[in-house]
Every structure is written in C-alpha cells, then in structure tokens.
Amino acid sequence: MTGDPESPQISKDGDILLGGIFSFHSSWKDRQDTFTHKPLPLECTSLNFREFQFAQAMLFAIGEINNSTDLLPGISLGYKMYDTCGSIARSVRVALALANGHETESAPSDEPCTRPAQVLAIMGETSSSPCMAIATVIGPFHIPMISHFATCACLSDKTKYPSFLRTIPSDYYQSRALAQLVRHFGWTWVGAIRSNDDYGNNGMATFTETAQQLDICLEYSVAFFRTDPPKKIQKIIDIIRTSSSKVIVAFLSHMDMEVLIHELSKYNLTGYQWVGSEGWIFDSQTAERDIHHILDGAIGLSIPRAHVSGMRDCEIFTEFWETLFSCTFKRSTSSAGNQKECTGHEDVTGVRNSFTDMSLMPIFNNVYKGVYAVAHALHSILGCNETCNNKVHLSDIQPNSYLQLNLQNIFLLFLMQVPVSVCSEKCPPGTRKVLQKGKPVCCYDCIRCAEGEISNVTDSITCIRCHPEFWSNDRRDACVKKEAEFLSYEEIMGALLSAAALFGACMTVVVALIFFKYRKTPIVRANNSELSFLLLLSLTLCFLCSLTFIGRPSEWSCMLRHTAFGITFVLCISCVLGKTIVVLMAFRATLPGSNVMKWFGTTQQRLSVVAFTLIQVLICIVWLTVSPPFPLKNLKEFKDKIILECALGSAVGFWAVLGYIGLLAMLCFLLAFLARKLPDNFNEAKFITFSMLIFCAVWITFIPAYVSSPGKFSVAVEIFAILASTFGLLICIFIPKCYIILLKPEKNTKKNMMGKVAPKYV
C-alpha cells in the first residue's frame, strides 16, 4: 500500500499479531471527490457500541491466552484493530494494511517482492458484504479470516473464499428456518424487506425459494440501504402502507432497521407482525429506539452457540464482564448438568447501558471462540515436528442450526392473538380454489363445486365427482346416495292407478255375472255368449296385468309385465275380432242361397282366437329367449335420482308385440267399420267400431307420450294406456247391453232383437 498510512484504533505488540476489523462507527459523511485533489479520509459518524463489545471480547480472549501456561506458552499474542465505518472500500484498505503493512515510499529493489504478512489471522468483519470484499483480497495470501457474524450463505463457497471461516451458521439455515416459522403460524401472504447488500439479498433469495416450496407468497419484496436517499425509503413506506399483508419478514442489519424504524414512526405504522433475522431481532439498541412500539411482538430465531473443545462457556464471560465493568452476576446450576447460566446485567450502582447488555452473549461467544480457534491451531503448528507445514489449519466451527425461537415474544404473541395474514381466506369444504388472474398462487377465489362434485377438505384445488349412484349434498362436502325412484303402491299416483285397475277388474266381473245370470236372454245369446265370456275374461286379465307395472322392478316382474300385457291384449282383440267376423257372417247368411256360417262356426271362432293369441305367444317367447327385459338403474335421466325401470332388452321384440296388437286392432276396426250400416235394431258393429276407435286413438297417442315421459311417469303413461283402452272396450261393448238387461227388459225380446232382418244364429 502507498499513500496515507492506515493507523489502527487499538493495537498491541506481540510475538504473533492478530488483526481485527470492526465497524466502530456505522456510517460516514458523504464527500464529493473531484479527482483533482487528493481525497480526504472518511469522516465516520454514528458510534456503534456493539462493535466495541465485539472488540472487547477479542481483547479479553487474547489476554486470557497470554496469561495461560497451557496454550501457546512463552508466546504473546498482539493485535491491530481497525475501524471501517461500515464502508466496504475502507474494509479492503485496512485488510491490505493488515496483510502488507504500509510503505511511505516505493523504490526499486532487487529483493523478491515477498514477505510474511503482518498478521497471521484476521477477526471480523461483522457484515457479509465487507467480508466478501476482504476475503477476495486476502484469499490469495491464505490469511485466515474468521467472522463472528457474517452469515451470507455465499461465503461458504470455498472456491471464491478459500480462507474465509466463521463461528456462526450461514443464512442457508436461518432463511429456511424463518420460512418454516412463517408457515407454522399460517402466514401465507407476507411482505419482505431486506438490506440491499449481500447479507440481505442472498438471505432473502433463499427465504423466497423456501417460501415458494411452502406455498407462501410475497406481496412485495423491497430492498434498501441505510444511506439511500429519502425518496427511496419513502417509496418503501408507501408500499407497506398500501399493502394488505399484515406480516413483514425483515432480513436487515440492525443499522438498516434503525433507519427504517425512524421512518415508520413518522406514520405510526403499528399493528404489523414482524419476523426478523438475527441481524436485528436480538439487538437491544434497536429495541431501545423503538419508542413508538413499531416492533411489538416481533419474533425471530436465536443464534446457537458454537462448540470448540477446550473452552469454557458462560463462566469465562462472567469473569470477562466482571473484569471490565465490575458487574455482579447470579450463577445458577441447572439440574440437567453442570452448565452455568449468566443472568442480570446491572452493576452495584444500578447503571444499565449498552455495554452491560447481555442479549448478544452468543455473538460475543463467537468472537471469543474464534480467537481461541486460531490459538489452538497455532499451538498445534508450533508443537509439531519438521514434517508439518507452516500453515494455520482452521475450519468453520459448525454450530447447531437455527432451531431456538424467541420464546418470550412468541408467548406475548399468543397472549395478544396470532394475527392473520393471507391474501385469500381458506376455501371451506364444498369449494375449490381458482387462481386470480395475474396474482400469486396465494390469491384465489373460492368457487362452489358443481352439482355432483364435492370437496371434503379445506383449500381443495379440485372437486371430486361422486360415484354415479351418489350425488352431492347441498353443502357440496359429501356424497349421499341418490334416491331410488320407481312407481310404487305407496305414492298417490301408484295408488290411484292400482285402484283404477282393481275397479276395472271388479266392474268386468260384475258384467260377467250379469251376463251369466241373463245368459238365456236374447241379447246375451245374440252376442255370442262364448266369445263374450272369453272377452270378459281377457278384459279382467288386462286390468290385472297393469298391476305388474307398479312396484320395484325385478327380473321376473320386468319379463312378466310386458309379456302378460302383450298376450292378454291379443286375446282381447282376438275375441273382438271374432265377434266382428261373426256379425258380418251372420248378416251375410240372411241372403238367399248363402251358406257362409258353416265356414265360421263355433269351432272356427275358437280356433281363430287361439291362432291369433298363439302368434303373440311365439313373439314373446322369442323376445324372452333372445334379449328379455331386465331391471335397470337409469342414472342419466335425472342427476340426483336413480330411476329404477325395466329395460326393454330387445327393442325389436317390444315393438313387435305392440305392432301385432296394433295390426289386429286396425283389422278389427276395419271390419267393424264395414258392418256399421247393418239394421238399426242390431248395434253390435257400431259399438265395436267405436270401441276400436277409442282403442287405436289411445295407443297412437301413447307412443309419443311414452317416449317423452321421464322416469316413472313413462310407466304411468303405459298403465294409463292399458286401463283407458280396456275401459273403452268394456264400456263400449258391454255397458249398453247391461243397460238394456237391467233397465230396459222390455227390449230384451226376440222380436225386438230380430227387427227387419233376423240373423240365423240368434
């Protein structure tokens, strides 16, 4: 180095010199260099008492080693301590001074430009950025630099900083631990402030990376340095004021935090939950300056102590403080072991000041143990044989991770009430999260699950679709079994249809009894009593077969209802068709020379009914053999119901049954229509025509109504069609005759029945 000499603030000669770099002042006055004159030295401002305490810890450790007869006997340690004023440039300058000394003038020399460094090790610096600069400069000279408080994880890179060591964990652990702490309290929406230096930037980068893995979102992340212009700091204050997050993670040095507190106090920005790094969270001076209670309830992680063999812990520091300040300490031995606990920091006169503050005891311990680490390494080198190389062997003293919390503040936090800081409230069961466009993943809307979907956990990102036989409840948080729906006897519609079917069957039986009682009267004999009784039997079966459509569908009921319906209706239509043919043949037989009745006598009538019915039976057998009807759970008709119905199996078989019935009905209607102009006193053909007209009209309208009716209503439509058509046949064919038999017996005579033309079969 050339130029103005750098003089240490504190120094002492010794056989071996140790360097000390501390920021006895935290800032400096700005100067305007014109580069036309030699720059003036930095004018340091803002005395930093904490750095003096670190220096005192180093002095105490050196003094204790010099007085020791076991460690470095006969060798005295000296020191040179410099003040950097918190300036990186000045830190490099004093590091060079410690390494090379200072030459007042530069002159050519034949001697090699190599010589031992002035110091064998450097203690400090406190901050990470100056340490990076110093370690870069002195690294090629292999001068160990041991920091007690530089926590930037970047300094762990031995390729860049081969000679840098420290007695404190790196921020690799602290940053992750802070993220875990934030997540523990459920704070997913936080703001972040960092020092705009290597300590803050690297620490916050690690915190941000871990926070993303833990689903923590940063509403904002801003950086500043204590020497920034007021406008920049004001902008940060405005960001805090307008933010919605109530938790602020501050990765700051204590000097930057003091500046921030001063600005926050102007606007009385209280009510925020601060989560702090070790750079300021345990700094007593920061707490003393917080007169407006900006940081009330702030929490952070404590600094664990490093462990180096052969060194005493609290007892040494008790002696240290008693020596420097004549303080009285209370020593207590815990029941768990022989570890001593230091408590209290008042002297006998009741004075309390920053020098007697014991809150930074772990950091002082780190300075103390760093000096001892160097001393032990030197002791090992001086005691080894000639094969040893003459280098100081040191390694990082690895303390425990940041696991201890600031329990006092956390206790106060629980007493007050844990604040809530989330961008969006938790989505309750029954809803799912939908991210808000252009915002972090912590900002979302809660959308209710769609019908048939549920979510049964908080903050679900998807809704689960229920099983087809289940449906979502009103809250959309559970699947409930769908209601099974079918036409039952218990409901009103089923009961009414059942009553109508039984009434029709009873009515048919009554008509049959009337006809049986008056079977020898002309009107009964004129209507072919054998076919009439067979028709009444088939009508009774038609009424009763409708009951098979009511109730829970089963395998047997599904096959029975359609086949019974098809066969009984064909039997019924066959009887009507036989009566129609008989009427036509009877009046054809009245013509001279006609002998047609012999071709359609009683035997032929029976055979025609059997033949027509047998065809339907064969169709039903084929249908049941190939693809019979079967019970089916219809899950598509209604979203929230299961329709229990009978699937047709083979649609061809079903429509073949209906088509055959329709074919017979149309044939019967056509024949009856041709016989409509028979003599007035014989109205059988007219009644059959009208009954078949009703029958065909009912079943023609049935088809579209059946197809369009949902669920159990399609079954009700089919039952209604069966009952309506059966009632039409019963009423149109038999009720007029019963009217004459019971109320107009004078017309029930052979003379009246024969009229103008008398049929031969009467």
Side-chain angles (χ1 to χ4, degrees):
M1 288 183 60
T2 60
D4 294 331
E6 289 289 343
S7 300
Q9 274 64 41
I10 307 173
S11 64
K12 179 183 178 181
D13 291 333
D15 299 327
I16 297 176
L17 292 182
L18 301 182
I21 301 178
F22 302 99
S23 298
F24 296 138
H25 296 83
S26 58
S27 59
W28 63 92
K29 287 186 177 180
D30 290 334
R31 65 187 184 188
Q32 298 296 327
D33 293 331
T34 62
F35 300 99
T36 59
H37 297 86
K38 185 177 181 179
L40 297 174
L42 288 178
E43 185 178 349
C44 300
T45 60
S46 302
L47 195 63
N48 192 341
F49 292 103
R50 188 174 75 171
E51 296 293 318
F52 280 104
Q53 291 174 305
F54 297 155
Q56 290 290 351
M58 178 178 173
L59 293 177
F60 177 77
I62 291 175
E64 189 176 60
I65 293 169
N66 287 336
N67 292 329
S68 174
T69 58
D70 299 326
L71 188 60
L72 295 177
I75 297 176
S76 63
L77 295 179
Y79 50 83
K80 286 186 178 182
M81 298 185 185
Y82 286 88
D83 179 16
T84 65
C85 299
S87 169
I88 296 177
R90 184 172 175 81
S91 298
V92 174
R93 185 175 180 84
V94 300
L96 291 173
L98 287 172
N100 300 328
H102 180 80
E103 295 179 357
T104 56
E105 61 182 13
S106 178
S109 174
D110 294 333
E111 298 179 1
C113 190
T114 58
R115 62 180 177 184
Q118 280 202 343
V119 296
L120 291 184
I122 297 176
M123 313 304 300
E125 230 263 13
T126 303
S127 301
S128 296
S129 292
C131 284
M132 294 172 67
I134 296 171
T136 302
V137 171
I138 67 172
F141 304 112
H142 302 290
I143 300 175
M145 178 183 182
I146 304 174
S147 176
H148 52 279
F149 208 53
T151 57
C152 181
C154 56
L155 287 165
S156 298
D157 187 352
K158 290 302 181 182
T159 59
K160 292 183 179 180
Y161 314 107
S163 62
F164 177 80
L165 306 161
R166 53 185 161 196
T167 56
I168 190 172
S170 75
D171 289 331
Y172 177 87
Y173 305 102
Q174 181 185 197
S175 301
R176 284 162 173 74
L178 284 177
Q180 294 283 355
L181 177 63
V182 171
R183 192 67 182 87
H184 172 76
F185 288 105
W187 299 323
T188 58
W189 186 239
V190 301
I193 304 177
R194 66 187 186 276
S195 293
N196 194 12
D197 55 15
D198 296 288
Y199 165 72
N201 292 330
N202 283 276
M204 186 55 69
T206 304
F207 172 84
T208 303
E209 178 185 354
T210 308
Q212 291 176 349
Q213 297 172 359
L214 299 175
D215 297 329
I216 299 171
C217 299
L218 300 185
E219 183 179 10
Y220 58 87
S221 180
V222 292
F224 84 100
F225 198 69
R226 54 187 175 276
T227 57
D228 285 343
K231 287 185 178 180
K232 184 173 182 180
I233 300 178
Q234 178 62 43
K235 185 178 180 180
I236 294 175
I237 299 299
D238 294 339
I239 291 175
I240 296 175
R241 292 173 62 186
T242 58
S243 65
S244 60
S245 57
K246 296 301 180 183
V247 174
I248 303 175
V249 179
F251 222 96
L252 301 168
S253 67
H254 71 285
M255 294 174 286
D256 292 336
M257 177 54 82
E258 290 173 6
V259 175
L260 185 62
I261 290 175
H262 178 72
E263 296 299 324
L264 292 172
S265 300
K266 294 180 181 179
Y267 299 93
N268 194 28
L269 291 180
T270 59
Y272 290 92
Q273 175 60 52
W274 291 82
V275 179
S277 62
E278 94 296 328
W280 65 269
I281 191 66
F282 293 103
D283 185 67
S284 59
Q285 296 181 32
T286 301
E288 290 173 2
R289 289 183 173 87
D290 185 24
I291 59 176
H292 295 280
H293 304 285
I294 303 296
L295 304 177
D296 280 2
I299 62 174
L301 299 167
S302 67
I303 305 172
R305 297 184 179 182
H307 297 278
V308 178
S309 60
M311 302 183 188
R312 292 171 293 164
D313 193 359
C314 187
E315 185 177 355
I316 295 175
F317 272 91
T318 302
E319 179 184 350
F320 166 47
W321 291 113
E322 287 178 343
T323 302
L324 291 178
F325 305 106
S326 302
C327 296
T328 303
F329 289 87
K330 178 182 178 181
R331 293 189 176 95
S332 63
T333 304
S334 65
S335 59
N338 297 323
Q339 185 179 0
K340 302 288 182 74
E341 179 183 3
C342 301
T343 59
H345 49 272
E346 283 193 13
D347 60 17
V348 292
T349 61
V351 176
R352 182 190 297 267
N353 54 51
S354 58
F355 282 106
T356 61
D357 180 19
M358 298 295 289
S359 63
L360 296 176
M361 177 66 75
I363 308 176
F364 303 148
N365 193 25
N366 290 340
V367 178
Y368 174 86
K369 291 181 177 178
V371 176
Y372 259 89
V374 174
H376 278 279
L378 290 171
H379 186 84
S380 298
I381 291 176
L382 295 175
C384 71
N385 54 33
E386 296 179 354
T387 60
C388 298
N389 54 42
N390 294 322
K391 291 183 180 179
V392 177
H393 293 272
L394 294 172
S395 60
D396 284 327
I397 300 170
Q398 298 292 341
N400 298 328
S401 300
Y402 287 85
L403 297 178
Q404 301 169 326
L405 298 177
N406 186 353
L407 297 178
Q408 181 179 1
N409 283 347
I410 290 182
F411 178 70
L412 294 174
L413 182 65
F414 277 110
L415 288 180
M416 293 186 296
Q417 185 177 7
V418 177
V420 176
S421 184
V422 293
C423 181
S424 301
E425 295 294 333
K426 291 182 177 296
C427 289
T431 62
R432 63 182 178 91
K433 296 195 300 185
V434 176
L435 297 181
Q436 297 177 357
K437 187 176 182 180
K439 292 188 177 181
V441 295
C442 298
C443 300
Y444 48 82
D445 296 319
C446 298
I447 305 299
R448 192 166 186 245
C449 291
E451 291 184 342
E453 296 181 347
I454 66 162
S455 65
N456 52 12
V457 295
T458 304
D459 276 348
S460 176
I461 60 175
T462 58
C463 292
I464 305 171
R465 179 162 292 278
C466 295
H467 186 272
E469 294 190 12
F470 289 79
W471 193 248
S472 56
N473 59 1
D474 293 337
R475 295 189 302 273
R476 304 287 200 273
D477 59 358
C479 290
V480 295
K481 194 169 182 61
K482 290 181 180 179
E483 178 185 356
E485 184 178 84
F486 57 91
L487 188 62
S488 65
Y489 295 100
E490 288 78 12
E491 57 183 303
I492 296 177
M493 183 166 57
L496 290 177
L497 292 174
S498 300
L502 294 176
F503 175 76
C506 294
M507 184 176 175
T508 306
V509 172
V510 170
V511 171
L513 293 176
I514 293 174
F515 265 54
F516 181 77
K517 182 178 180 181
Y518 297 96
R519 62 186 179 279
K520 295 182 180 181
T521 61
I523 196 170
V524 175
R525 296 181 62 193
N527 278 274
N528 195 335
S529 59
E530 185 174 343
L531 286 179
S532 296
F533 283 112
L534 186 57
L535 177 59
L536 288 172
L537 174 62
S538 63
L539 289 175
T540 304
L541 294 177
C542 287
F543 279 119
L544 294 179
C545 81
S546 64
L547 297 178
T548 62
F549 288 82
I550 304 175
R552 178 182 289 271
S554 64
E555 185 175 354
W556 286 103
S557 68
C558 286
M559 291 190 293
L560 177 63
R561 63 173 59 172
H562 288 100
T563 53
F565 153 72
I567 293 173
T568 55
F569 261 77
V570 166
L571 178 62
C572 178
I573 300 300
S574 299
C575 294
V576 175
L577 181 60
K579 290 174 65 67
T580 305
I581 295 175
V582 168
V583 170
L584 287 174
M585 294 296 180
F587 283 93
R588 176 69 64 178
T590 59
L591 297 177
S594 177
N595 195 24
V596 297
M597 283 305 298
K598 70 177 182 178
W599 299 105
F600 202 75
T602 304
T603 303
Q604 288 79 4
Q605 295 172 20
R606 295 172 183 171
L607 290 176
S608 65
V609 171
V610 172
F612 286 136
T613 306
L614 184 60
I615 294 174
Q616 184 73 307
V617 171
L618 293 176
I619 294 175
C620 291
I621 291 175
V622 174
W623 181 16
L624 295 179
T625 303
V626 176
S627 181
F630 58 91
L632 174 69
K633 294 181 179 180
N634 188 340
L635 305 173
K636 298 179 180 180
E637 192 75 32
F638 293 97
K639 295 180 179 179
D640 56 344
K641 295 178 182 179
I642 299 177
I643 305 301
L644 301 182
E645 60 184 14
C646 288
L648 297 178
S650 173
V652 175
F654 174 74
W655 292 111
V657 169
L658 286 184
Y660 183 66
I661 295 174
L663 178 64
L664 292 180
M666 293 299 295
L667 178 61
C668 185
F669 172 75
L670 180 61
L671 294 177
F673 181 77
L674 293 176
R676 70 188 185 282
K677 294 182 179 180
L678 294 176
D680 294 338
N681 289 347
F682 193 87
N683 297 320
E684 179 75 5
K686 293 182 179 179
F687 295 144
I688 292 175
T689 302
F690 189 63
S691 66
M692 296 312 299
L693 182 64
I694 294 176
F695 183 91
C696 293
V698 168
W699 285 101
I700 290 174
T701 57
F702 157 77
I703 295 175
Y706 177 81
V707 173
S708 61
S709 297
K712 62 182 180 182
F713 296 101
S714 63
V715 179
V717 167
E718 191 169 0
I719 296 175
F720 179 81
I722 294 173
L723 295 179
S725 57
T726 307
F727 271 113
L729 292 173
L730 177 66
I731 293 173
C732 291
I733 295 177
F734 291 98
I735 296 302
K737 299 175 180 58
C738 291
Y739 173 77
I740 294 174
I741 293 172
L742 298 177
L743 301 179
K744 298 290 184 177
E746 67 275 8
K747 293 184 178 182
N748 190 8
T749 60
K750 184 176 181 180
K751 181 180 179 180
N752 185 67
M753 292 299 301
M754 292 179 64
K756 297 179 181 180
V757 180
K760 293 182 178 180
Y761 70 91
V762 177

